[in-house]
Amino acid sequence: MTALAHETLEAVMPKVATPPSDLEDVLWQAWKAIELPEGYHAEIIEGLIEVSPTGRLSHSQIANRLRRAVDKFLDRSEFAAFQDTNVIQARKAWIPDVLVAPEDAEEHSSEDGIGIKASAVQLIVEVVSPGSDSVTRDRTRKRREYARAGIPVYVLIDDHDEHGIVTVLTSPDPDQAIYGDEVRAAYGTTATIPSGPVKGFSIGEDITGPLRAP
């Protein structure tokens, strides 16, 4: 957790002993109350509020190219691609780089309207940022969280895996917090989404860019 996260939580968390059974509610209220400077966002991941900066320019370019391409692919369907949208699962909150959900997302809004229910999300994509915390968050902690939530397809676009790898994860097992199927494709080749409303969509060099230098 960053110093910024620690200082902000000190301001909003109650200074009393909290029974473990109430921890999720305390974190939820703290997350909703937290105010961050521009360029940062907060998520609740595996029982912790994690604060991270928005991505670098290259990160944003990949996410934007992907969102536009997916929206074009989904034209005239009932689904759409979203960015900067809270995904809510019980008292957990994530902000994926790109997600696919019904275009009429209001029907699947969380109770307080703060985000979209995870049950409506058909695909999540994370563009992995540099740094050990970011890498571990996307490859490990969020991978488990999305599997627990039953997100059907989780895609990582990862500059920092070898010389650039797109990983497509499917067949989530919520009880085990794992994905049963995994396909990896190097930058410069093509990764194809195998199921769901984006079935057949390909992530290639036009989205990721070429292989990264060793």
Side-chain angles (χ1 to χ4, degrees):
M1 182 180 293
T2 66
L4 173 63
H6 178 75
E7 292 170 4
T8 307
L9 287 178
E10 284 293 311
V12 297
M13 292 282 278
K15 295 181 171 49
V16 296
T18 305
S21 60
D22 295 336
L23 180 58
E24 285 190 354
D25 283 336
V26 171
L27 287 171
W28 179 252
Q29 296 303 324
W31 177 78
K32 290 200 295 183
I34 200 168
E35 294 185 10
L36 297 172
E38 186 176 353
Y40 288 85
H41 64 243
E43 302 171 282
I44 304 175
I45 304 171
E46 295 196 323
L48 293 172
I49 294 179
E50 297 196 21
V51 175
S52 55
T54 54
R56 298 180 178 184
L57 176 59
S58 60
H59 178 287
S60 298
Q61 287 175 317
I62 291 173
N64 284 331
R65 286 196 295 264
L66 178 66
R67 182 191 57 77
R68 290 196 300 268
V70 171
D71 252 347
K72 184 176 180 180
F73 184 89
L74 291 170
D75 190 33
R76 298 184 181 180
S77 82
E78 63 184 66
F79 295 91
F82 297 82
Q83 285 181 277
D84 299 321
T85 303
N86 296 319
V87 176
I88 306 300
Q89 169 77 0
R91 289 294 185 260
K92 300 174 183 177
W94 313 300
I95 308 174
D97 291 312
V98 178
L99 66 90
V100 170
E103 188 166 18
D104 293 331
E106 292 81 4
E107 297 181 11
H108 305 279
S109 172
S110 58
E111 292 179 5
D112 51 11
I114 205 167
I116 187 170
K117 294 178 182 177
S119 58
V121 176
Q122 301 300 306
L123 175 143
I124 280 177
V125 181
E126 297 285 6
V127 181
V128 181
S129 297
S132 59
D133 286 346
S134 296
V135 167
T136 302
R137 180 170 56 248
D138 289 343
R139 291 184 192 169
T140 304
R141 296 195 298 278
K142 279 194 168 182
R143 177 172 176 158
R144 289 193 296 254
E145 288 282 65
Y146 294 154
R148 287 189 190 101
I151 302 299
V153 183
Y154 177 34
V155 178
L156 294 105
I157 299 178
D158 195 342
D159 284 5
H160 317 288
D161 187 351
E162 299 180 9
H163 303 307
I165 296 288
V166 178
T167 301
V168 179
L169 300 160
T170 54
S171 302
D173 182 335
D175 293 333
Q176 298 295 320
I178 61 173
Y179 281 92
D181 295 313
E182 174 179 337
V183 176
R184 290 163 54 84
Y187 284 15
T189 63
T190 298
T192 302
I193 306 302
S195 59
V198 197
K199 180 179 180 180
F201 177 81
S202 294
I203 301 173
E205 189 171 337
D206 57 327
I207 292 171
T208 65
L211 282 169
R212 301 304 189 251

